[in-house]
Amino acid sequence: DVQLQASGGGLVQAGGSLRLSCAASGFTFNDYTIGWFRQVPGKEREGVACILNSDHTTYYATSVKGRFTISSDNAKNTVFLQMSGLKPEDTAVYYCAAMRGPLTLGHIDWYDYWGQGTLVTVSS
């Protein structure tokens, strides 16, 4: 069975850092793009960052570029999202997702597998 297990969320003050992890199993990790998305109640889920595991190419949403870094450890089938310079508006439930496709955040429906969310709360 395909599983994506997101972890690492928590409460942090503005300006602080957190690292999220997404442990994957049940599929050929190197063949997939892994994306991080976030959602606030009442709003649509939005893409944050994604990585193409075959060559570690990355793509970021404008809102997080320069503050967040996505990386993957192919030996451990795990993707990380290092978040720095956190702002209250980064507060959301963060999800990781996987698809066998190109590097994109713009087609959320292309992502086939989703993990449970992990809550990130940034206090002002």
Side-chain angles (χ1 to χ4, degrees), residues 10-110:
L11 174 63
V12 63
Q13 289 189 332
S17 299
L18 277 177
R19 189 176 82 155
L20 306 184
S21 299
C22 176
S25 61
F27 60 93
T28 305
F29 188 77
N30 287 17
D31 290 346
Y32 279 71
T33 292
I34 305 292
W36 283 100
F37 296 80
R38 65 187 181 186
Q39 190 169 23
V40 175
K43 293 190 176 181
E44 290 188 354
R45 194 168 295 187
E46 65 169 346
V48 174
C50 55
I51 186 166
L52 186 61
N53 286 333
S54 59
D55 63 5
H56 293 194
T57 306
T58 59
Y59 179 80
Y60 297 92
T62 301
S63 59
V64 305
K65 196 175 296 183
R67 299 188 298 121
F68 291 10
T69 302
I70 189 170
S71 62
S72 65
D73 183 336
N74 288 33
K76 296 183 178 180
N77 285 8
T78 301
V79 172
F80 304 99
L81 185 68
Q82 178 68 47
M83 306 185 294
S84 302
L86 284 162
K87 305 175 181 180
E89 52 263 42
D90 294 317
T91 295
V93 177
Y94 284 71
Y95 300 87
C96 59
M99 70 156 173
R100 190 166 184 169
L103 196 68
T104 180
L105 295 172
H107 296 277
I108 192 169
D109 56 313
W110 290 2

